[in-house]
């Protein structure tokens, strides 16, 4: 084997240095303690610190990271820490603070440098995404504004249609009642679509506000089922809630939970033919509360399994039956469940039915209402 000369090593080193410095994106490397060993000119420009100021410094000190709410990200949650701990490559967006104090949104990939399965440092490649961030924000602001503007006239339509239906403006004929019911149900659907769009905008812009406090899961489910009772009755679908006697309280956001269950219950009713059954069951397993929403509906084809939680996806069997929908409900459900630290999954068989499961972290203990009353 040819032995490399000292000059060869130096030549390769110089070449590596030139390559590193020519990368158009920011690049920074650290040793095993997270101290900066190299920083290229693009990284210096993004972060505002010179090579002299950065080398030897602890990366999280020079690269201060913030979340979408401009809150500092704790060390344990920093991608650099997670990359070290897991040994995995991590790609995500974050916000860095420029030396001047200005916050800069960036997209980064951080990879541990492994030698014989031991991390000896890491390399981070990142770029300034201020422009993409602003375009995304403009898009979200536009959807948000358009949705709010649609909501106001829609409320008027709904209110007056309900007043007419309730006989406040005189007796109605059967065809008039039928037409008004169609107006009410169409405006309800439109209202749901607007809510979904607004919620998705919030999730994608990281501005979902989760207000956690003790909430009874069964009460939320009862409310949701009551709101869908009319639609279920119209299709002669029985809706049953199977819940334990004791109240299961979790620390969560009731409004977000309602949105999640409302989507799942409404799907169960929508995709179940006339005369079917929908059963919502509630139980605790270990440190989780698990809610299942079971229907005797059209089911989800095997080949669609991996796609149902993706944006705008609708399976072939439901498109063929021309049921209404835009394929955003489950995408929203998944996003909201993530916000609450839970999980969602399903089992299904075509023409037999589906069962969707939602798991949420429980309180340290379940509150037994009977015990509390004593
Ligand atoms: P939408 O109902 O508006 O189409 P969703 O995101 O709620 O959108 O659902 C995505 C797709 O998943 C649906 O179009 C349908 O193909 C499938 N799906 C969801 N829930 C059920 C269900 N309970 N039974 C059968 N298919 C379902």
């Amino acid at each position: 084997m040819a032995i490399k000369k000292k000059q060869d090593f130096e030549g390769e080193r110089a070449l590596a240095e030139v390559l590193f410095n020519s990368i158009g994106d920011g690049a920074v490397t650290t040793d095993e303690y997270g101290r900066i060993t190299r920083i290229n000119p693009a990284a210096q420009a993004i972060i505002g610190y010179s090579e002299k100021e950065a080398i030897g410094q602890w990366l999280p000190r020079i690269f201060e990271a913030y979340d979408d709410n401009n809150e500092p990200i704790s060390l344990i949650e920093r991608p650099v820490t997670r990359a070290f701990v897991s040994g995995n490559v991590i790609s995500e967006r974050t916000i860095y603070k420029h030396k001047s104090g200005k916050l800069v949104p960036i997209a980064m990939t951080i990879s541990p440098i492994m030698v014989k399965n031991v991390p000896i440092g890491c390399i981070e490649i990142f770029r300034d995404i201020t422009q993409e961030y602003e375009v995304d924000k403009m898009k979200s602001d536009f959807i948000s504004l358009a949705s709010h503007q649609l909501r106001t006239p829609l409320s008027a339509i709904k209110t007056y249609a309900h007043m007419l239906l309730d006989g406040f403006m005189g007796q109605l004929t059967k065809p008039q009642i039928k037409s008004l019911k169609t107006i009410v149900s169409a405006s309800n659907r439109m209202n749901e679509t607007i809510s979904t769009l607004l919620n998705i905008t919030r999730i994608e812009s990281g501005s979902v506000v989760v207000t956690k406090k003790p909430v009874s899961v069964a009460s939320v489910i009862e409310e949701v089922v009551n709101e869908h009772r009319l639609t279920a009755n119209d299709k002669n679908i029985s809706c049953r809630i199977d819940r334990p006697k004791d109240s299961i309280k979790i620390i969560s956001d009731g409004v977000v939970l309602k949105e999640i269950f409302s989507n799942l219950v409404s799907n169960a009713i929508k995709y179940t033919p006339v005369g079917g059954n929908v059963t919502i069951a509630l139980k605790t397993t270990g440190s989780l509360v698990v809610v299942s929403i079971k229907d005797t509906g059209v089911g989800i084809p095997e080949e669609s399994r991996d796609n149902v939680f993706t944006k705008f996806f609708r399976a072939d069997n439901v498109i063929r039956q021309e049921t209404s929908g835009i394929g955003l409900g489950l995408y929203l459900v998944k996003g909201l469940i993530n916000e609450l630290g839970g999980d969602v999954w399903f089992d299904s068989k075509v023409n037999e039915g589906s069962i969707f499961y939602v798991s949420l972290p429980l309180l340290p203990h379940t509150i037994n209402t009977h015990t509390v009353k004593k």
Side-chain angles (χ1 to χ4, degrees):
M1 198 173 82
I3 298 171
K4 278 198 177 174
K5 290 196 200 118
K6 196 170 167 228
Q7 295 99 296
D8 293 341
F9 277 122
E10 275 167 10
E12 278 173 24
R13 232 183 122 109
L15 182 65
E17 201 73 36
V18 170
L19 286 175
F20 186 78
N21 285 336
S22 325
I23 300 174
D25 286 341
V28 58
T29 58
T30 74
D31 62 14
E32 72 263 48
Y33 302 109
R35 288 177 306 213
I36 297 171
T37 47
R38 279 176 183 195
I39 177 163
N40 76 349
Q44 293 169 47
I46 297 172
I47 203 73
Y49 287 95
S50 68
E51 187 175 24
K52 209 165 140 216
E53 289 169 313
I55 298 286
Q57 296 288 342
W58 197 40
L59 182 129
R61 204 187 75 73
I62 293 282
F63 289 76
E64 278 180 54
Y66 292 80
D67 63 19
D68 282 324
N69 301 320
N70 294 345
E71 296 289 337
I73 300 177
S74 70
L75 186 59
I76 199 87
E77 286 174 49
R78 291 282 303 258
V80 57
T81 317
R82 286 188 281 126
F84 260 119
V85 172
S86 66
N88 293 331
V89 176
I90 293 177
S91 296
E92 60 188 40
R93 290 178 169 210
T94 190
I95 297 172
Y96 278 157
K97 194 191 231 174
H98 185 271
K99 190 182 172 188
S100 65
K102 190 178 141 221
L103 295 177
V104 188
I106 62 127
M108 59 132 90
T109 297
I110 189 155
S111 324
I113 306 167
M114 308 293 278
V115 173
K116 294 187 181 149
N117 279 336
V118 177
I120 59 152
C122 68
I123 176 161
E124 178 177 323
I125 306 288
F126 62 102
R127 69 194 162 85
D128 181 345
I129 52 162
T130 305
Q131 253 183 348
E132 288 157 66
Y133 202 76
E134 273 162 11
V135 170
D136 269 2
K137 194 170 171 316
M138 273 163 60
K139 199 175 68 185
S140 299
D141 287 350
F142 172 74
I143 296 179
S144 173
L145 184 79
S147 309
H148 281 298
Q149 294 301 326
L150 288 172
R151 241 189 194 163
T152 319
L154 190 60
S155 321
I157 296 173
K158 277 179 65 172
T159 311
Y160 283 101
H162 269 290
M163 281 166 73
L164 284 165
L165 206 51
D166 292 342
F168 282 111
M169 291 158 196
Q171 206 67 27
L172 299 177
T173 63
K174 272 197 178 148
Q176 284 170 334
I177 293 177
K178 200 168 164 224
S179 307
L180 274 173
K181 279 190 173 165
T182 311
I183 294 176
V184 169
S185 96
S187 45
N188 280 342
R189 264 211 324 272
M190 192 163 163
N191 205 25
E192 278 163 21
T193 307
I194 293 171
S195 291
T196 303
L197 286 175
L198 276 171
N199 278 318
I200 287 177
T201 316
R202 284 189 197 115
I203 287 179
E204 291 183 344
S205 65
S207 59
V208 177
V209 182
V210 173
T211 317
K212 291 194 176 180
K213 49 185 174 193
V215 45
S216 153
V217 185
S219 306
V220 174
I221 289 170
E222 267 158 19
E223 250 181 77
V224 168
V225 169
N226 283 338
E227 282 173 15
H228 289 87
R229 190 76 69 192
L230 271 182
T231 328
N233 288 349
D234 281 349
K235 289 178 77 179
N236 198 18
I237 290 173
S238 86
C239 264
R240 202 164 60 84
I241 302 176
D242 194 356
R243 53 166 292 191
K245 266 207 313 281
D246 297 337
S247 160
I248 300 172
K249 288 216 173 180
I250 62 171
I251 299 287
S252 201
D253 185 316
V255 178
V256 177
L257 280 180
K258 202 169 159 195
E259 185 72 38
I260 292 169
F261 293 125
S262 189
N263 270 288
L264 295 173
V265 171
S266 118
N267 274 353
I269 298 170
K270 181 163 72 176
Y271 297 120
T272 296
V274 173
N277 301 306
V278 171
T279 313
I280 298 116
L282 190 64
K283 62 176 184 181
T284 55
T285 12
S287 58
L288 300 171
V289 54
V290 179
V291 179
S292 58
I293 298 103
K294 183 170 185 265
D295 64 56
T296 55
V298 296
I300 297 169
E302 190 59 36
E303 64 275 15
S304 303
R305 281 197 72 88
D306 296 340
N307 297 321
V308 291
F309 292 106
T310 55
K311 215 170 174 179
F312 298 119
F313 180 80
R314 306 201 72 218
D316 282 347
N317 61 335
V318 313
I319 294 177
R320 258 182 274 122
Q321 294 180 12
E322 292 184 42
T323 42
S324 63
I326 47 173
L328 286 177
L330 290 182
Y331 173 72
L332 173 67
V333 164
K334 184 94 183 161
L336 292 177
I337 290 268
N338 281 345
E339 296 285 334
L340 298 183
D343 203 0
V344 56
W345 68 101
F346 70 92
D347 267 335
S348 185
K349 238 188 179 149
V350 169
N351 295 330
E352 285 186 22
S354 310
I355 176 160
F356 278 81
Y357 298 93
V358 169
S359 72
L360 293 154
L362 262 177
L363 265 182
H365 58 276
T366 55
I367 297 171
N368 180 327
T369 42
H370 305 297
T371 321
V372 172
K373 272 182 195 158
K374 268 186 208 165

